[in-house]
Amino acid sequence: MSKGSPVPAPDGRRSADIVVVGAGTAGSVLAARLTEDPEVRVILLEAGPDERSERIDTTWTWPALQKTDVDWDYETVVQAGTGHAHAVPRGRAVGGTGTTNAMAFLRGVPEDFDTWAYLGCTGWDYASVLPYFQRSEDAPHGDARWRGRGGPLHPRPSVNLHPLSQAYLAAAAELGYPSGGDLNGPAPRGAAAHDLMIHDGVRESTAGAYLAPARKRPNLTVIADAEVQRLLFDANRCTGVRARIDGETVTISATREVVLAAGAIGTPLLLLRSGIGPADDLEAAGVPVMRNVPGVGRDLQDHIILAGLTMHADEEIGPAQANLGEVTMLLHSEPGRASIDLQIVFIHVPFANPWQTVPKHGYTFGIGHMRPHSRGTVTLGADGQAIIDFRYLHDEEDLRALVAGVRVALALSETEAFAPYRSASHPLVGTSDAQIAAFVRGAVQSYGHASGSCRMGSDAAAVVDPRLRMKGVAGLRIADASVMPAIVSTNTNAATVMIAEKAADLIRFG
């Protein structure tokens, strides 16, 4: 549960200098970094439980955490491009999605962040954010020009790879792809055992690496099972939040500012419930408009990963280990692209959507499209809940790239490296693009990388400025994946840590 007790303000309400909403990947970093200054009082609020348990620590059982009490159990509306509603995995616990995800730790490519700067986010180019990536980690296996030393996180690749993971790397080399490089270096390409957030054999999240050591500080209060209902204002200034704690509605005030770190679904949802967002949407949901901010809940992005491309094996090939997906490949979907747009993660067990049929024994090629063109929305329903529409495959370019990714995966599956494990060729081998496209539409799954719904920028449609300050509202910032102006081209956890590290400096230094 919580450590310490909130500091009462003169009128009996709970108060701190800074109130951080959401103790997930970003919020845990923020609370730890801000309270390094003993003069700064921080209250960190988390809707979910404060849990460290075997089910969270065990590294290969993470799929079983979805749709439990540590998951928000979000779901999209039925997607026109797929014909299905899709689960949107979001962690609901101290540590957030870092307690429930697949533990991949990949930064993205330099072009991702240079694009942010090009889009008007001054100070977010690769050279400017690299020190924050480095500050977050202890990665002695990497080149010190690019990787960190002595930071809180311990990203490492698996050392003793599963036999099938070894076969995957051999298959990639057989087809001429680069192999063995650091996929968190300055030019990540090809196949490698990528960094995982596994330390001493158990899951490592920012709740453990950053927040746990900070919780002994008297200027930090962590309150779990505290669901924030809305933001509070005095004119155009955010002054605190209203939360439900232990069955009681409580006001928690912030003398300096409130920082939202509730994620790309939770953050826009809280803004909308508080009357900040597109005026027409708010009025339709019956919410009084506090400030018309058309960009809230817009530009929602996610990576698609295809499930169900599973190859049949006659028997189980070794026990599950690590995070089930120790190796991956970053590549282009077509020649001439300036940057990667595909990720093929190898999963050494069957992995599928509930509506797909796969062999009992086998291994899966998970094809991720990492530069989606489709954009969606988070809106507010009349019941106050989130309506999530990623518009998966709305843009035909996304479908084209995924078809290309399936073809690469099928070629990998047919290599000599996989011959000892291949019972038969996959039925899609030798089929047309139209047949593969039909498979793609039925194989779509959320990669769990929601972002962009409160994007940062200097243009009129941006929700926060490059210092992460909410436009038109004083005393309010956002520091989570929702501010990404364009989703990074790898898993989003490492970039979210970086955002929080930089946000702490932006808050500390004005």
Side-chain angles (χ1 to χ4, degrees):
M1 207 36 192
S2 60
K3 296 284 186 180
S5 58
V7 179
D11 61 0
R13 296 179 302 171
R14 299 175 179 188
S15 175
D17 299 304
I18 297 170
V19 174
V20 179
V21 179
T25 294
S28 294
V29 174
L30 272 169
R33 288 302 190 194
L34 292 172
T35 54
E36 289 174 346
D37 181 347
E39 300 301 314
V40 176
R41 296 174 301 133
V42 174
I43 293 176
L44 176 62
L45 301 170
E46 168 56 42
D50 190 357
E51 178 181 336
R52 183 71 183 264
S53 63
E54 184 178 357
R55 65 172 178 164
I56 288 174
D57 285 348
T58 303
T59 60
W60 57 86
T61 57
W62 56 267
L65 296 172
Q66 293 186 23
K67 296 189 175 298
T68 68
D69 59 315
V70 293
D71 179 55
W72 279 99
D73 197 19
Y74 291 130
E75 191 173 84
T76 69
V77 298
V78 173
Q79 300 290 278
T82 72
H84 294 282
H86 299 270
V88 184
R90 295 282 85 193
R92 188 180 186 272
V94 173
T97 304
T99 65
T100 62
N101 66 5
M103 292 154 281
F105 193 80
L106 291 162
R107 293 175 174 179
V109 298
E111 297 93 329
D112 292 337
F113 308 103
D114 289 341
T115 297
W116 290 10
Y118 177 78
L119 293 173
C121 301
T122 304
W124 293 87
D125 58 284
Y126 180 65
S128 296
V129 302
L130 178 60
Y132 294 104
F133 279 118
Q134 292 174 306
R135 188 167 81 178
S136 74
E137 66 178 12
D138 179 47
H141 59 287
D143 187 328
R145 290 175 297 172
W146 316 108
R147 304 303 305 273
R149 302 289 189 273
L153 300 175
H154 301 85
R156 301 284 192 280
S158 288
V159 177
N160 299 310
L161 292 176
H162 192 283
L164 286 166
S165 299
Q166 296 178 46
Y168 180 79
L169 296 181
E174 189 176 324
L175 294 183
Y177 292 100
S179 61
D182 182 0
L183 298 184
N184 280 322
R189 299 291 189 279
H194 58 281
D195 283 346
L196 301 172
M197 290 313 309
I198 299 175
H199 185 49
D200 291 336
V202 301
R203 174 191 295 274
E204 182 176 66
S205 71
T206 58
Y210 280 85
L211 190 60
R215 293 178 73 155
K216 63 181 179 291
R217 297 171 187 161
N219 57 328
L220 173 60
T221 299
V222 181
I223 309 177
D225 299 307
E227 189 159 359
V228 176
Q229 298 171 324
R230 61 165 294 139
L231 305 174
L232 301 175
F233 303 93
D234 181 1
N236 285 332
R237 182 173 190 83
C238 184
T239 58
V241 302
R242 187 176 70 198
R244 191 76 176 167
I245 304 172
D246 295 330
E248 179 186 0
T249 299
V250 177
T251 294
I252 299 177
S253 60
T255 59
R256 281 179 52 183
E257 59 185 284
V258 172
V259 185
L260 301 185
I265 306 299
T267 286
L269 182 58
L270 182 56
L271 289 170
L272 293 168
R273 287 173 174 168
S274 304
I276 299 177
D280 290 347
D281 289 359
L282 293 171
E283 290 167 355
V287 176
V289 179
M290 186 270 174
R291 177 160 291 276
N292 179 26
V293 184
V296 171
R298 300 299 192 259
D299 294 302
L300 178 66
Q301 300 155 60
D302 190 18
H303 292 140
I304 285 172
I305 185 168
L306 299 185
L309 193 67
T310 299
M311 310 299 152
H312 181 273
D314 290 328
E315 58 185 10
E316 185 177 20
I317 306 168
Q321 67 180 50
N323 69 327
L324 306 178
E326 309 165 293
V327 292
T328 197
M329 181 160 65
L330 306 180
L331 67 159
H332 310 86
S333 65
E334 60 183 353
R337 285 194 165 261
S339 183
I340 61 169
D341 64 331
L342 288 175
Q343 179 190 69
I344 304 180
V345 60
F346 182 74
I347 305 165
H348 55 254
V349 296
F351 179 74
N353 285 301
W355 53 83
Q356 292 177 295
T357 301
V358 295
K360 180 179 180 181
H361 301 301
Y363 46 92
T364 306
F365 296 86
I367 299 104
H369 183 213
M370 311 312 285
R371 292 190 176 274
H373 288 250
S374 302
R375 295 290 186 271
T377 58
V378 178
T379 54
L380 187 64
D383 60 355
Q385 301 305 307
I387 300 172
I388 303 167
D389 184 2
F390 285 112
R391 302 178 80 198
Y392 288 139
L393 302 182
H394 176 78
D395 192 300
E396 287 293 317
E397 170 61 15
D398 297 347
L399 183 63
R400 182 209 61 78
L402 286 163
V403 169
V406 171
R407 289 211 174 277
V408 174
L410 292 172
L412 290 166
S413 76
E414 290 289 293
T415 58
E416 285 301 310
F418 276 110
Y421 310 107
R422 185 172 57 243
S423 297
S425 294
H426 193 277
L428 284 174
V429 171
T431 58
S432 67
D433 282 356
Q435 289 169 299
I436 294 177
F439 166 81
V440 166
R441 291 190 184 278
V444 166
Q445 187 175 107
S446 170
Y447 214 156
H449 298 163
S451 61
S453 53
C454 294
R455 73 170 177 84
M456 166 175 51
S458 55
D459 59 292
V463 175
V464 296
D465 69 14
R467 300 189 68 81
L468 305 182
R469 298 172 298 199
M470 182 83 193
K471 292 189 174 183
V473 181
L476 181 61
R477 289 190 213 232
I478 302 174
D480 58 30
S482 70
V483 305
M484 292 184 186
I487 194 170
V488 294
S489 55
T490 58
N491 311 61
T492 51
N493 182 264
T496 302
V497 173
M498 176 276 291
I499 289 168
E501 283 275 15
K502 184 172 173 68
D505 273 1
L506 293 173
I507 293 167
R508 278 188 292 221
F509 303 126

